[in-house]
Amino acid sequence: MTSAPMQGKVALVTGATSGIGAAVAEALAERGAHTLVAGRDAGRGEAVVGGIEKRGGSADFVGADLRDAESVRRFARDALGRGGGRVDILVNNAGIYPFGPTEETEERLYDTVYALNVKAPFYLVAELAPGMADRGGGAIVNVSTTAAAVGFPGMALYGSSKAAVNLLTKAWAAEYGPRGVRVNAVQVGPTRTETTARTEENLQRLAAQAPAQRPAAAAEVAAAIVYLADDGTSSFVQGAVLPVDGGRVAV
Ligand SMILES: NC(=O)c1ccc[n+]([C@@H]2O[C@H](COP(=O)([O-])OP(=O)(O)OC[C@H]3O[C@@H](n4cnc5c(N)ncnc54)[C@H](OP(=O)(O)O)[C@@H]3O)[C@@H](O)[C@H]2O)c1
């Protein structure tokens, strides 16, 4: 490792068995944080942990399905146990993004999207932010989407769930900021991950709408998340929803 500004910190990244979350876990570990890699798939989680350790970093896998509040509470306790009683950085990244016409959206899918995209970060912050405040500080970064700010056909369900995340970012900045916990979000544009690469045509079509004219790499999104997670680079940034979208919301 080259420099370790996050040495001594514990970082928890949800949805870190894949895509953006895996890139964030790698980048935080690279900066010296003990990184907790979360997801349901232990095999993919251990592969991310193995990669981090191979590069000299420190990480553990913490498994959980985050769709109900009790599981989230248990997961938070497990993460604190793995972190030696602390989590200093929380990245709420786990999310699903099914697209489709509103009139074809079944209630079960509606509930699943809101459970993972909204309820899980809500109860995870409820479990972890007070402890961060008691220990004198912390940083929370939520992962949102351009679809939270722009109306796209077929993205009503997904976009609305992340619009809730954008508002939660501001509400939590107001609630926990005075106690030393910075809360911010990245509002991400089309990014090539294991999941989006399966629908390459869709990825390219969305990417073509932005000045950058290409999808992001997961590492480019991770760099913005690391910036917001690091007190050394973003100490006065609170309640921000940062577009990381190749310029899409600017045009
Ligand atoms: N990729 C994009 O173009 C894009 C654009 C804007 C915003 N985003 C947002 O960025 C985040 C990551 O996207 P991505 O493309 O990197 O996703 P991805 O590759 O599909 O990975 C999703 C992650 O979420 C975890 N996950 C899914 N269901 C879960 C559950 N029920 N409980 C716990 N963990 C669960 C998965 O782990 P397991 O399978 O191991 O459970 C996986 O690690 C999402 O919040 C997404 O909305 C993505």
Side-chain angles (χ1 to χ4, degrees):
M1 278 186 301
T2 43
S3 70
M6 292 182 174
Q7 196 76 47
K9 305 245 184 208
V10 176
L12 172 59
V13 184
T14 68
T17 59
S18 170
I20 293 168
V24 172
E26 285 157 10
L28 292 171
E30 180 78 20
R31 296 174 84 81
H34 177 61
T35 302
L36 303 175
V37 170
R40 291 166 302 178
D41 189 313
R44 285 194 285 130
E46 292 298 352
V48 174
V49 167
I52 288 171
E53 288 174 341
K54 214 168 145 190
R55 288 190 294 278
S58 167
D60 276 313
F61 172 69
V62 187
D65 188 321
L66 298 177
R67 281 176 295 182
D68 69 274
E70 191 40 48
S71 300
V72 172
R73 291 192 187 99
R74 205 177 317 116
F75 168 73
R77 286 195 295 274
D78 287 351
L80 286 166
R82 291 290 190 142
R86 62 190 301 144
V87 169
D88 306 291
I89 294 164
L90 167 64
V91 180
N92 282 311
N93 167 78
I96 46 170
Y97 37 88
F99 305 145
T102 295
E103 71 270 21
E104 289 174 18
T105 304
E106 289 179 1
E107 185 178 0
R108 195 164 154 202
L109 181 63
Y110 182 101
D111 289 343
T112 301
V113 168
Y114 269 76
L116 186 63
N117 292 6
V118 186
K119 189 161 70 171
F122 188 92
Y123 282 103
L124 206 44
V125 167
E127 287 296 310
L128 296 177
M132 291 179 183
D134 290 347
R135 287 186 297 275
I140 297 170
V141 184
N142 298 322
V143 178
S144 183
T145 170
T146 308
V150 175
F152 291 103
M155 297 196 203
L157 175 60
Y158 171 56
S160 66
S161 73
K162 292 291 192 175
V165 169
N166 285 5
L167 190 280
L168 286 169
T169 301
K170 297 177 188 184
W172 287 330
E175 190 171 348
Y176 296 110
R179 294 156 64 190
V181 181
R182 294 184 307 105
V183 187
N184 293 287
V186 285
Q187 188 172 277
V188 180
T191 304
R192 185 169 285 107
T193 65
E194 289 87 329
T195 303
T196 58
R198 284 184 215 133
T199 49
E200 183 66 30
E201 203 178 304
N202 199 36
L203 188 64
Q204 293 297 344
R205 186 178 53 77
L206 288 169
Q209 298 173 7
Q213 298 278 291
R214 63 170 177 85
E220 293 176 288
V221 177
I225 293 171
V226 169
Y227 159 75
L228 291 171
D230 187 347
D231 292 338
T233 55
S234 60
S235 53
F236 204 54
V237 183
Q238 304 199 18
V241 178
L242 176 67
V244 184
D245 62 357
R248 175 63 181 82
V249 291
V251 298

